[in-house]
Amino acid sequence: MNITSNKTKRQPIQLSDHFDYPRLLRFTLPCIIMMIFNSIYSVVDGYFVSNYVGKTPFAAVNFIMPLITILGSVGFMFGAGGGALVARSLGEGKKERARRLFSLFVYVTAISGTIIAVLVFIFLEPILQMMGAEGQLLQDALLYGRILLPILPFYMLQFEFNSFLVTAEKPKLGLIVALIAGVLNMTLDALFMVVFKWGLAGAAVATGISQMIGGLIPLIYFLRPNSSLLQLGPTHFNGPALLRACTNGSSELMSNIALSLVSMLYNRQLLNYVGENGVAAYGVIMYVSFVFLAIFIGYSNGIAPVTGYHFGAGNHAELRSLLHKSLKLTAVLSMTMLILAQLFGGLFAKIFVGYDPELLALTVHAFRIYAFVYLFAGFATYSSSFFTALSDGLTSALIAFLRSLVFEISMVLILPIYLKVDGIWLSAVLADMFTVIVAFAFIIGKRKRYHY
């Protein structure tokens, strides 16, 4: 009996399964680790730039990355929005339709990525000037951006495949790709900046190569015959499906665009109130948050195809179970992250800016305030992803829109008037708190419509 039981436990998890807590964690864990590792190698990139190139180049990287993230998020939109449609088609038993839709979304992402990269490359300097960059900050941001933009199509595909690998029941492959890309990036960072002394250009080349690998490996996998539910092949233009994917994934696109726009606004406000030290401190907080919030994003991405599948199959009891379990897990993770942030905030800051006592003190103080965002961010992230998985892109987009483009922008503009720089650090906390209130109102209000 024990032998049989152990073999059963090693069986691959399928979207159609019933998910208790152990199965839920086993299925989403590769996606969580993948997102954490993606974040960690971004953090390592920032560490090398800050410690081996300098404070101004570090600020320049943090200044331009929101723009790069906005562009890459087009792939996230097709991955999340299109992934929900593909998962629903699989749940309805329409496997051939799922494969055609999957192929369409990937091809459109690659083409649009190429067009966007060319246009932004041409107009990058005036774009950065409009964002407020000047002097050496502008030159460093231009250098970094011009190296990364040619890789943009692969970066967008990397975002997209993060979702589709889970939908294809291959989350472990996504983890392996993330590990390969991450280890390569960290190794090349050390080689290019420490050994070869290439400076900021070395950081950009290392990041670009890792992004290319992150998009290329899954592309090759899906182009070949494979054991997953999906494979790239012939398709045809399907305008309504593309529109539904864009609408359904608009919340994920909006979340990333809004987050990037808010980051630009933070940088501008911090330049006004504190100067380059404020931008550098915010960069450190964002690097740490990338890792912490990656857990919420990874879980939400991992559970979304399961939710979409059971919604398409009409398994209402399983849908309700997934929601309740997810909310409980999010609550536990939220408290854990707040405690860790308060305990180790000083250590995190010292890793990046320990060489500058004034900047270190500013960063530690800021992070202690900002850390309370972890109480609410997980619920805000999951609720938006939950409605995307239900193909309710409008509700998902509304949550994302209110979260960043209404609540957070309002807070970052209003609070500094009364609380000075501390108001900037507190903005995200209050914005996510208001978002959670709205999100729970939607979850309660739509429970009869979706039978959860």
Side-chain angles (χ1 to χ4, degrees):
M1 287 297 293
N2 288 337
I3 293 175
T4 304
S5 175
N6 288 335
K7 285 183 178 179
T8 301
K9 288 180 180 178
R10 290 195 293 268
Q11 288 291 325
I13 299 175
Q14 298 179 329
L15 298 179
S16 56
D17 290 348
H18 165 66
F19 283 77
D20 53 15
Y21 281 108
R23 189 175 292 269
L24 190 60
L25 291 172
R26 278 177 57 207
F27 188 77
T28 57
L29 190 60
C31 199
I32 293 172
I33 296 175
M34 177 178 65
M35 293 304 298
I36 291 174
F37 205 81
N38 283 339
S39 301
I40 287 176
Y41 77 70
S42 296
V43 170
V44 172
D45 202 49
Y47 167 80
F48 277 105
V49 173
S50 180
N51 286 275
Y52 290 93
V53 186
K55 185 166 64 176
T56 299
F58 179 61
V61 171
N62 294 310
F63 194 86
I64 193 173
M65 277 311 295
L67 175 62
I68 301 296
T69 303
I70 286 177
L71 304 178
S73 296
V74 174
F76 199 9
M77 175 186 68
F78 283 117
L85 294 180
V86 171
R88 184 173 179 177
S89 295
L90 291 171
E92 294 169 345
K94 302 174 182 177
K95 294 183 179 180
E96 188 56 37
R97 170 180 163 79
R99 293 190 181 102
R100 287 199 306 269
L101 289 175
F102 165 65
S103 300
L104 174 66
F105 298 144
V106 172
Y107 299 154
V108 169
T109 300
I111 294 170
S112 61
T114 303
I115 295 171
I116 292 170
V118 171
L119 291 175
V120 176
F121 190 94
I122 294 171
F123 297 105
L124 183 59
E125 185 167 1
I127 291 172
L128 292 174
Q129 288 173 333
M130 288 174 58
M131 291 165 56
E134 58 184 21
Q136 190 59 45
L137 184 69
L138 172 62
Q139 296 308 311
D140 286 343
L142 273 172
L143 172 65
Y144 195 82
R146 284 171 174 165
I147 293 174
L148 280 186
L149 280 171
I151 310 296
L152 182 65
F154 293 101
Y155 186 43
M156 289 169 61
L157 287 172
Q158 182 182 29
F159 265 122
E160 183 172 38
F161 286 132
N162 284 345
S163 296
F164 277 129
L165 283 167
V166 182
T167 307
E169 295 182 346
K170 294 294 180 180
K172 290 183 180 178
L173 177 59
L175 173 59
I176 291 171
V177 172
L179 290 173
I180 293 172
V183 170
L184 183 63
N185 190 22
M186 291 185 283
T187 303
L188 293 179
D189 272 335
L191 182 65
F192 294 162
M193 282 185 275
V194 180
V195 179
F196 293 167
K197 309 293 185 184
W198 287 0
L200 188 59
V205 172
T207 298
I209 292 174
S210 69
Q211 289 175 353
M212 184 172 65
I213 293 298
L216 192 58
I217 293 177
L219 181 63
I220 294 172
Y221 174 81
F222 283 119
L223 280 170
R224 297 166 57 86
N226 61 74
S227 60
S228 79
L229 297 176
L230 301 174
Q231 183 179 347
L232 288 169
T235 187
H236 61 271
F237 184 80
N238 187 334
L242 281 172
L243 181 60
R244 285 199 300 274
C246 293
T247 304
N248 199 36
S250 61
S251 61
E252 279 66 29
L253 176 65
M254 187 176 295
S255 293
N256 282 275
I257 289 177
L259 178 62
S260 299
L261 290 174
V262 168
S263 295
M264 295 175 190
L265 181 57
Y266 268 89
N267 286 332
R268 199 170 187 91
Q269 287 283 73
L270 287 165
L271 282 172
N272 292 334
Y273 281 89
V274 194
E276 282 188 12
N277 271 4
V279 176
Y282 180 64
V284 173
I285 293 172
M286 288 298 98
Y287 278 125
V288 177
S289 287
F290 288 161
V291 178
F292 277 53
L293 298 180
I295 297 174
F296 295 130
I297 297 170
Y299 178 82
S300 298
N301 288 350
I303 198 63
V306 182
T307 302
Y309 183 96
H310 286 287
F311 174 62
N315 297 332
H316 300 145
E318 185 66 19
L319 196 61
R320 182 164 53 252
S321 173
L322 289 169
L323 173 62
H324 291 175
K325 287 182 174 66
S326 296
L327 292 177
K328 291 174 183 176
L329 287 172
T330 300
V332 173
L333 288 171
S334 298
M335 285 301 303
T336 302
M337 288 185 203
L338 174 61
I339 293 170
L340 290 175
Q342 294 295 340
L343 289 176
F344 299 106
L347 176 62
F348 296 146
K350 194 170 184 179
I351 291 172
F352 288 93
V353 293
Y355 56 82
D356 188 324
E358 181 183 353
L359 178 54
L360 176 62
L362 173 64
T363 305
V364 172
H365 172 74
F367 190 58
R368 301 245 187 249
I369 298 173
Y370 184 91
F372 284 94
V373 77
Y374 304 130
L375 283 178
F376 309 106
F379 291 106
T381 301
Y382 171 74
S383 59
S384 180
S385 176
F386 177 69
F387 284 109
T388 296
L390 297 177
S391 297
D392 189 348
L394 179 60
T395 300
S396 181
L398 186 56
I399 293 172
F401 175 79
L402 290 172
R403 182 184 187 184
S404 296
L405 292 181
V406 176
F407 295 144
E408 194 157 7
I409 287 180
S410 298
M411 293 298 101
V412 80
L413 289 174
I414 295 171
L415 290 182
I417 297 174
Y418 303 99
L419 300 175
K420 303 302 180 185
V421 70
D422 281 352
I424 300 177
W425 311 128
L426 190 61
S427 299
V429 180
L430 293 183
D432 274 9
M433 183 182 72
F434 293 141
T435 303
V436 170
I437 294 171
V438 172
F440 273 88
F442 278 124
I443 289 174
I444 294 170
K446 290 178 176 282
R447 66 190 186 281
K448 293 183 179 179
R449 175 178 176 181
Y450 296 112
H451 307 288
Y452 52 72

